[in-house]
Amino acid sequence: FDRRCFWHANPVAFEEQAELLRLLGQLIRHYAAAALCLTPTREMDGARIVTSSCAAALLDALLRVQAADAPTSLSRHYAGLQVGRRGASHARPFGFALAPFGFRELPSANLKLTSPELAAARAMCLDYFLAVTQAVPEEHLCFGWSRAASFSPGELALAGRVSTDLGFDSAEVRSEGVAPVPPFARLLTGEEPEVL
């Protein structure tokens, strides 16, 4: 990823990174609540999709930032910078799978964007996520949301690596009639706040 990026220009403290992630989460929740209260139109759909994609790009970039004072296990693994016991880094980065937004199932070219700012933001998001899909292997793409309500292999791999760093048990929890789910998958649902 380009080191001229706004997020990589200056060192960021862990506290700043955590606060930015928290504020971005609150901002997108408020935006979703407000946007979903309005009468749906093609214009609103376009604005919602582009705005949500911009938030996803910010989240992706923030997760890749390594805090200068205390880089998190999540950020190291997500950016593919985790160093193994022997000092070599064989890790590959993770990234958002936004294929439905602009690459496969829902072409963003069909969105009705009524302002030049939305069109420019759409183009920047497409460029950003195209770079992500080129840098991140297919099996490391996370949060695709176009799949069934289950964890993808990328999500489980990311949660598994972070859980190993944090010392979580990796045994699967089995329930009758339900696919086995490793307990570390709770890192992705917010049930385990130790990620940050």
Side-chain angles (χ1 to χ4, degrees), residues 136-158:
V136 174
E138 180 81 25
E139 64 274 7
H140 282 199
L141 292 174
C142 305
F143 315 116
W145 296 296
S146 61
R147 296 180 294 274
S150 63
F151 293 114
S152 73
E155 293 158 4
L156 290 175
L158 176 61

Side-chain angles (χ1 to χ4, degrees), residues 123-185:
M124 287 187 270
C125 280
L126 288 174
D127 288 345
Y128 181 84
F129 286 111
L130 180 61
V132 168
T133 57
Q134 290 172 347
V136 174
E138 180 81 25
E139 64 274 7
H140 282 199
L141 292 174
C142 305
F143 315 116
W145 296 296
S146 61
R147 296 180 294 274
S150 63
F151 293 114
S152 73
E155 293 158 4
L156 290 175
L158 176 61
R161 290 180 185 182
V162 171
S163 70
T164 300
D165 278 357
L166 297 176
F168 281 92
D169 183 16
S170 62
E172 293 179 334
V173 177
R174 297 185 178 271
S175 300
E176 189 160 329
V178 178
V181 177
F184 59 75

Side-chain angles (χ1 to χ4, degrees), residues 18 38 54 63 76 110 127 150-151 154-155 166 172 190-192:
L38 300 173
C54 289
L63 284 176
R76 286 192 315 267
N110 294 335
D127 288 345
S150 63
F151 293 114
E155 293 158 4
L166 297 176
E172 293 179 334
E191 295 175 79
E192 296 290 346

